[in-house]
Amino acid sequence: MRKGNVYVIANWKMNPDTWVAAKELFLGVKKAASRVRKVNTVICPPFVYLSELINSYSGRSISFGVQDVHFEQKGSYTGEVSASQVRSVGATYAIVGHSERRALGETNEMINKKVLSALSEKLTVILCIGERDRDRQGEYLAFLRDELLGALEGVSKAALKNILITYEPIWAIGKTSEEAMKPHDVHGTVLFLRKLLAEKYDKKIALELPILYGGSVEPENAGALLEEGDVNGFLIGHSGLSVSDFTAILERADSSLG
Ligand code: PGA
């Protein structure tokens, strides 16, 4: 049985394609989340749906997050949304550094500034890191190290209570559970990340900071990833768009807590 918090976070990305469909999806998610008692369920819809969904929801089982924030709090940044704006409509989580944002040109420095900006607004940061490929020489480890330590530059020990490290190997995103990372390999990477955290901060933080996994989590591999992978939950893409898959993952996560 697992101890501690488990997070199941849905990243809806640029879906569903209409407000009507978003409302319908949320209805199903709401029902599922109200039945699980121990999991922290977080929904990260596109910005356009965020306020309406938050205002329509009176339950307590779901928290809301965004898929990105800008690093400045206000100003002339066409198309961007700030952490303070996000906070002001009632969202409490922010994904930062998703590989699909990095692919658009976000650097470790920009991601670090976004992390600091989100933390200053008391948002919980879902900090995504992950290698594009795994090379035999193990260079991906240095890559992961640079992403993790770069993003955490200037983040105090106290501020870490609002960080969820999310390991998402890019090569495993958007596939199927069969092609996802194997739980044993996830566990190896989690240990590596905890070692880096111990070096930067201390042992207690290294042991306790939640580390989530993302990349083709489906009902079929969710249980093994939690138990053998030893992660504190998931960031979920495509399975979050199917009420039945999302419900099954929530239930697996809930039952892992005993
Ligand atoms: P996936 O996406 O679950 O569809 O692989 C995960 C993510 O990109 O966060």
Side-chain angles (χ1 to χ4, degrees), residues 14-238:
M14 203 168 70
N15 301 295
D17 56 358
T18 65
W19 167 235
V20 171
K23 272 196 292 193
E24 200 175 305
L25 173 61
F26 186 67
L27 218 64
V29 166
K30 199 161 78 170
K31 224 185 247 170
S34 69
R35 287 199 304 262
V36 296
R37 295 261 154 250
K38 294 163 243 149
V39 176
N40 296 290
T41 307
V42 183
I43 304 298
C44 301
F47 284 125
V48 281
Y49 304 147
L50 184 68
S51 286
E52 286 267 21
L53 288 178
I54 292 178
N55 293 336
S56 74
Y57 182 63
S58 56
R60 304 183 59 155
S61 328
I62 297 174
S63 303
F64 293 87
V66 290
Q67 300 169 16
D68 184 35
V69 285
H70 191 59
F71 46 78
E72 296 293 349
Q73 296 298 4
K74 60 178 177 182
S76 305
Y77 299 99
T78 302
E80 298 288 345
V81 174
S82 74
S84 54
Q85 290 171 328
V86 165
R87 185 80 217 187
S88 76
V89 297
T92 48
Y93 287 76
I95 298 173
V96 175
H98 192 281
S99 59
E100 287 156 14
R101 302 284 324 164
R102 292 181 191 259
L104 295 175
E106 287 192 13
T107 62
N108 284 341
E109 291 70 32
M110 285 162 80
I111 288 158
N112 176 235
K113 289 205 290 186
K114 290 181 175 207
V115 168
L116 295 173
S117 173
L119 289 175
S120 76
E121 289 299 321
K122 304 268 181 306
L123 294 173
T124 296
V125 174
I126 302 157
L127 171 62
C128 298
I129 58 169
E131 77 278 4
R132 181 162 298 285
D133 318 287
R134 289 216 149 187
D135 56 307
R136 279 171 194 270
Q137 296 73 31
E139 275 173 26
Y140 69 93
L141 294 171
F143 182 85
L144 282 177
R145 181 179 187 282
D146 288 350
E147 282 197 341
L148 181 71
L149 301 184
L152 293 177
E153 187 73 45
V155 175
S156 69
K157 275 189 194 178
L160 289 175
K161 67 174 188 308
N162 286 327
I163 299 249
L164 306 173
I165 308 286
T166 305
Y167 172 56
E168 293 208 305
I170 299 172
W171 52 268
I173 292 178
K175 307 260 173 65
T176 65
S177 52
E178 274 145 45
E179 296 160 283
M181 198 174 203
K182 298 293 170 250
H184 175 79
D185 296 333
V186 172
H187 188 210
T189 311
V190 167
L191 289 177
F192 172 69
L193 298 176
R194 294 206 181 282
K195 184 170 153 277
L196 294 175
L197 292 167
E199 284 163 12
K200 179 169 169 69
Y201 296 101
D202 60 42
K203 233 170 155 180
K204 185 169 159 26
I205 283 169
L207 287 172
E208 292 177 0
L209 197 67
I211 300 184
L212 279 54
Y213 168 80
S216 301
V217 177
E218 294 184 341
E220 291 76 13
N221 58 352
L225 283 166
L226 279 172
E227 279 132 39
E228 288 169 52
D230 202 22
V231 289
N232 306 94
F234 303 123
L235 181 57
I236 293 174
H238 62 274

